[in-house]
């Protein structure tokens, strides 16, 4: 069954540490996305990619890097984690850039 | 720039009652519009989408939405809600050809028995 899987599902990180969130999709989709969700807020786009080895900045890219080594995999990297990056992060994939299919989320707590 | 506004952060309805969740969008061209639902501790799932044509679109689980260009709205409706419909509902917009989907802040629906 086609799916978007994220790892880890939950993580506690220390301020200033490096965090990598991974996403793997079996949908054979070209587009992949990273969104963050804060309590009581909608989703905000961090980075996205429409082809392997290329990434694009979303609406809130500061403090985040992204990597798309293959069509199936898309990582979000926090080089120096900060308290303000505590949130739930969602990965999604899309065939045409319209209908998105989401993973179950990665809950990150920075202490 | 595109934007989406969901004016109601929380809505409570009784089981069996009808439902309308409001969504207003801003777009310079005719947008593509979506409603997603998020159940507790899960990712978002697509309920329905509108690209063009009939302004009333049908979705899963008895949901429908109506596109209104004159009102810049895309309201979600259901004739009779069930307790299992309790969730957070997100309206989203994009322009055709754009890969960037912009989400509203969501409406938390509570269905009371």
């Amino acid at each position: 069954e086609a799916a978007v899987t994220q790892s880890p599902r939950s993580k506690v990180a220390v301020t200033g540490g490096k965090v990598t969130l991974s996403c793997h999709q079996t949908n054979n989709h070209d587009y992949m996305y990273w969104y963050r969700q804060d309590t009581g807020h909608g989703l905000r786009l961090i980075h996205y990619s429409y082809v392997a080895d290329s990434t694009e900045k979303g609406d809130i890219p500061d403090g985040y890097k992204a990597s798309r080594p293959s069509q199936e995999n898309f990582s979000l990297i926090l080089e120096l984690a900060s308290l303000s990056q505590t949130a739930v992060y969602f990965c999604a994939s899309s065939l045409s850039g319209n209908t998105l299919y989401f993973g179950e989320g990665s809950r990150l707590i920075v202490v | 720039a595109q934007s989406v506004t969901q004016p109601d952060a929380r809505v409570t309805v009784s089981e069996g009652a009808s439902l309308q969740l409001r969504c207003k969008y801003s777009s310079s061209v005719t947008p593509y519009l979506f409603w997603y639902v998020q159940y507790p501790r899960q990712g978002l799932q697509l309920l329905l989408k509108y690209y063009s044509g009939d302004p009333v679109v049908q979705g899963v689980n008895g949901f429908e939405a109506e596109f209104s260009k004159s009102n810049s709205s895309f309201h979600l409706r259901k004739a009779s809600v069930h307790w299992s419909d309790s969730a957070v509902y997100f309206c989203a917009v994009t322009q055709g050809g754009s890969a960037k989907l912009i989400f509203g802040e969501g409406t938390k629906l509570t269905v009371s028995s």
Side-chain angles (χ1 to χ4, degrees):
Chain A
E1 181 178 326
V4 178
T5 55
Q6 298 181 225
S7 63
R9 292 292 312 280
S10 180
K11 183 175 181 64
V12 178
V14 296
T15 302
K18 182 177 180 178
V19 176
T20 299
L21 304 179
S22 300
C23 180
H24 178 80
Q25 57 108 349
T26 57
N27 295 328
N28 199 31
H29 288 168
D30 288 329
Y31 292 84
M32 295 189 73
Y33 306 79
W34 277 106
Y35 284 87
R36 70 175 275 173
Q37 183 179 37
D38 298 280
T39 303
H41 291 81
L43 278 71
R44 292 181 289 170
L45 182 63
I46 307 171
H47 286 288
Y48 65 102
S49 167
Y50 52 84
V51 68
D53 294 322
S54 177
T55 63
E56 306 291 331
K57 292 181 179 179
D59 297 320
I60 54 163
D62 293 344
Y64 303 93
K65 292 183 180 179
S67 174
R68 182 91 182 272
S70 64
Q71 185 195 42
E72 298 81 13
N73 295 293
F74 191 37
S75 296
L76 184 69
I77 302 151
L78 291 65
E79 294 278 4
L80 295 170
S82 67
L83 296 175
S84 65
Q85 293 177 312
T86 292
V88 180
Y89 292 85
F90 287 98
C91 178
S93 73
S94 173
L95 180 62
S96 60
N98 289 323
T99 302
L100 271 60
Y101 297 86
F102 284 84
E104 294 194 338
S106 296
R107 183 176 299 275
L108 174 65
I109 298 173
V110 182
V111 298
Chain B
Q2 296 172 292
S3 65
V4 177
T5 301
Q6 295 180 246
D8 304 308
R10 296 174 180 268
V11 170
T12 299
V13 297
S14 299
E15 192 168 23
S18 63
L19 169 71
Q20 177 172 279
L21 300 182
R22 296 184 292 163
C23 173
K24 300 276 285 185
Y25 69 89
S26 173
S27 177
S28 57
V29 298
T30 300
Y32 292 0
L33 294 157
F34 306 81
W35 276 98
Y36 283 84
V37 60
Q38 184 181 30
Y39 298 104
R41 294 174 296 283
Q42 295 187 25
L44 280 71
Q45 303 170 32
L46 181 68
L47 272 180
L48 48 80
K49 60 187 177 185
Y50 172 80
Y51 289 171
S52 65
D54 189 337
V56 179
V57 292
Q58 304 297 320
V60 298
N61 296 333
F63 286 94
E64 67 174 30
E66 183 168 5
F67 168 69
S68 171
K69 187 174 182 179
S70 60
N71 293 324
S72 297
S73 67
F74 189 57
H75 300 332
L76 181 70
R77 303 189 298 236
K78 188 171 185 178
S80 177
V81 298
H82 186 264
W83 65 266
S84 60
D85 292 325
S86 295
V88 181
Y89 292 80
F90 292 95
C91 183
V93 63
T94 187
Q95 290 180 221
S98 169
K100 293 177 62 177
L101 196 61
I102 307 300
F103 286 85
E105 294 194 348
T107 297
K108 183 175 183 178
L109 173 67
T110 301
V111 179
S112 59
S113 58

